[in-house]
């Protein structure tokens, strides 16, 4: 009875948070029930969009991205959506540890045969990073580095402020981002195989533009990794029809 009362008091005053999404969970749990049941993206994946090939429509697209391949362990939905929003907008930088562990496992599964020279990340404008207090992609890159032993290099800078990428179609996003990034002065990417990290992939315009810059400066190959990505439109349509 006393122990139960103490647990209830502790839960009220100091709620335990899920390590992956930040939701309140049981005191003796590491993750909430929803995160415990998460299904990873798996199977034979499309190298362009990271979706299982059965759900991929990349063969119908003419324009190919600048990166060699992209992977993400989860779709941007349910508890992952909540986690990303908390991580980026509500000052939960500690979520990067569990998120990066999931991303690192995906590297083992799909990029395990690639010898990366370094990890880099999608940059933010200095003003936006100052307001937020951190760059979420940089935190993820640092944690992935700790898990994999691949060194982190701060290679890119955002040299142009762009409109909010939450709105707009793929073409508009690509136009908005053209010329937005550059290699940091003094950095050298010649003949390097680079892993580019971000938190979420929507249309792929951001990581493709970053990869374009790295390739333009002589990188041998750029591979991309995110925690999550939006579901392919075909799958979303099928869900709505059910």
């Amino acid at each position: 009875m006393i122990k139960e009362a103490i647990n209830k008091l502790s839960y009220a005053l100091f709620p335990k948070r899920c390590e992956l999404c930040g939701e309140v969970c049981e005191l003796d749990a590491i993750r909430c029930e929803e995160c415990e049941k998460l299904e990873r993206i798996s199977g034979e994946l499309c190298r362009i969009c990271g979706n299982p090939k059965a759900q991929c429509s990349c063969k119908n697209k003419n324009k190919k991205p600048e990166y060699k391949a992209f992977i993400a362990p989860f779709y941007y939905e349910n508890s992952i959506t909540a986690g990303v929003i908390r991580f980026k907008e509500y000052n939960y930088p500690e979520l990067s540890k569990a998120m990066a562990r999931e991303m690192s496992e995906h590297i083992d599964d799909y990029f395990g045969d690639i010898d990366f020279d370094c990890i880099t990340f999608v940059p933010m404008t200095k003003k936006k990073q100052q307001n937020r207090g951190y760059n979420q992609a940089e935190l993820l890159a640092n944690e992935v580095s700790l898990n994999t032993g691949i060194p982190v290099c701060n290679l890119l800078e955002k040299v142009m402020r762009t409109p909010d990428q939450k709105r707009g179609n793929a073409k508009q996003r690509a136009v908005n981002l053209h010329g937005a990034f550059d290699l940091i002065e003094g950095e050298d990417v010649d003949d390097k195989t680079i892993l580019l990290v971000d938190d979420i992939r929507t249309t792929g315009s951001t990581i493709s533009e970053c990869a374009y810059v790295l390739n333009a400066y002589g990188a041998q190959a750029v591979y991309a990794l995110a925690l999550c990505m939006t579901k392919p439109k075909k799958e979303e349509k099928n869900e709505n029809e059910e």
Side-chain angles (χ1 to χ4, degrees), residues 57-75:
S57 60
C58 290
K59 62 184 178 181
N60 300 323
K61 298 178 181 178
N62 295 322
K63 184 173 175 58
K64 303 299 181 185
E66 296 291 333
Y67 51 84
K68 288 282 187 181
F70 167 82
I71 55 172
F74 301 112
Y75 285 117

Side-chain angles (χ1 to χ4, degrees), residues 2-239:
I2 295 176
K3 185 177 180 181
E4 185 179 348
I6 292 174
N7 284 342
K8 286 183 178 180
L9 181 61
S10 297
Y11 190 84
L13 297 177
F14 309 104
K16 181 73 178 293
R17 297 269 176 186
C18 172
E19 66 168 5
L20 189 57
C21 75
E23 182 59 80
V24 173
C25 62
E26 298 295 331
L27 283 174
D28 58 349
I30 298 174
R31 296 188 178 183
C32 66
E33 290 184 9
E34 192 169 346
C35 283
E36 286 286 2
K37 297 175 183 177
L38 281 173
E39 292 187 13
R40 298 172 66 88
I41 299 170
S42 60
E44 189 178 0
L45 305 182
C46 170
R47 293 173 66 83
I48 294 174
C49 68
N51 287 294
K53 286 193 173 181
Q55 301 169 13
C56 167
S57 60
C58 290
K59 62 184 178 181
N60 300 323
K61 298 178 181 178
N62 295 322
K63 184 173 175 58
K64 303 299 181 185
E66 296 291 333
Y67 51 84
K68 288 282 187 181
F70 167 82
I71 55 172
F74 301 112
Y75 285 117
Y76 184 65
E77 61 183 359
N78 305 323
S79 63
I80 289 297
T81 301
V84 169
I85 291 172
R86 287 190 181 99
F87 181 36
K88 295 170 66 169
E89 308 296 340
Y90 293 97
N91 196 31
Y92 278 72
E94 63 273 16
L95 298 181
S96 63
K97 294 184 181 298
M99 290 176 173
R101 282 202 303 273
E102 298 288 349
M103 296 164 71
S104 300
E105 287 183 21
H106 224 49
I107 294 173
D108 291 339
D109 291 341
Y110 292 99
F111 288 166
D113 59 339
I114 301 169
D115 186 16
F116 290 108
D117 292 294
C118 66
I119 298 170
T120 196
F121 49 89
V122 174
M124 301 168 65
T125 60
K126 291 180 180 179
K127 183 176 181 180
K128 189 169 184 178
Q129 184 165 339
Q130 197 171 40
N131 290 338
R132 181 169 294 169
Y134 55 88
N135 176 352
Q136 70 278 356
E138 182 177 8
L139 292 185
L140 291 171
N142 286 333
E143 292 295 335
V144 170
S145 174
L146 290 174
N147 295 336
T148 62
I150 306 168
V152 174
C153 296
N154 185 6
L155 299 176
L156 297 167
E157 61 181 340
K158 194 167 187 181
V159 295
M160 184 176 71
R161 186 178 178 184
T162 54
D164 189 348
Q165 290 295 89
K166 293 177 183 176
R167 296 174 183 155
N169 58 33
K171 186 178 290 187
Q172 289 169 330
R173 287 170 182 253
V175 170
N176 290 342
L177 287 164
H178 184 67
F181 304 101
D182 200 1
L183 191 72
I184 293 175
E185 188 174 354
E187 293 297 334
D188 180 16
V189 297
D190 253 0
D191 295 322
K192 290 184 177 179
T193 301
I194 300 168
L195 179 62
L196 175 65
V197 168
D198 204 1
D199 59 327
I200 177 174
R201 175 192 181 275
T202 47
T203 64
S205 297
T206 299
I207 57 174
S208 190
E209 186 68 22
C210 287
Y212 171 80
V213 172
L214 295 170
N215 290 331
Y217 280 95
Q220 181 177 347
V222 180
Y223 294 80
L225 167 72
L227 170 70
C228 57
M229 61 180 174
T230 53
K231 274 191 170 182
K233 290 181 179 180
K234 184 178 180 181
E235 186 171 313
E236 288 176 350
K237 183 179 179 180
N238 289 340
E239 286 180 354

